[in-house]
Amino acid sequence: QVSRGLRTPRLPLWLCSLCGRHGVLFGTDGQLLSHWRRERVFHLYFYNGQREQEKTAHLTIDTHSHPWEEDPREDPSSPGKRCPPVEMAIRTKWAGATVSWNGTDPFF
């Protein structure tokens, strides 16, 4: 029998398979998925264990950002603009959210 803690984790945790690589996306706020007010601006962490990732990426997610707050020099429709798979995975849960990598270079 599976323990209750494994069926309902105390912290938000997602196992991800992104572009053929596995990783863990997790948060440290236990109320993130149960209290809607916590989903405004929150932090998630991503770790994939690959050599090129020296430390866990600290991401800030803003689910109520506005298009006019984006950098006007960046054209989201430009063909050279790529979106990291981690961001696309996050947007499957929080559509339209902006993701700040907090100084870490986004990796693909």
Side-chain angles (χ1 to χ4, degrees), residues 21-24 46-56 107:
R21 294 184 175 184
H22 296 88
V24 178
F46 182 74
Y47 183 75
N48 66 5
Q50 301 296 320
R51 269 183 253 149
E52 63 269 10
Q53 185 179 4
E54 296 176 4
K55 64 180 184 173
T56 302
F107 45 87

Side-chain angles (χ1 to χ4, degrees), residues 13-81:
L13 173 74
W14 296 272
L15 299 175
C16 305
S17 177
L18 306 168
C19 299
R21 294 184 175 184
H22 296 88
V24 178
L25 184 64
F26 62 96
T28 57
D29 183 357
Q31 294 184 347
L32 178 61
L33 299 176
S34 62
H35 196 279
W36 64 271
R37 287 187 183 183
R38 299 282 188 159
E39 291 187 0
R40 168 68 168 86
V41 176
F42 56 94
H43 303 279
L44 292 178
Y45 302 89
F46 182 74
Y47 183 75
N48 66 5
Q50 301 296 320
R51 269 183 253 149
E52 63 269 10
Q53 185 179 4
E54 296 176 4
K55 64 180 184 173
T56 302
H58 172 213
L59 310 172
T60 301
I61 316 302
D62 184 352
T63 60
H64 289 77
S65 62
H66 303 290
W68 56 84
E69 294 174 347
E70 293 177 5
D71 187 351
R73 296 174 302 221
E74 290 186 25
D75 181 11
S77 61
S78 68
K81 183 167 172 108

Side-chain angles (χ1 to χ4, degrees), residues 93-105:
K93 171 72 175 146
W94 295 282
T98 58
V99 178
S100 169
W101 287 75
N102 299 310
T104 302
D105 290 331

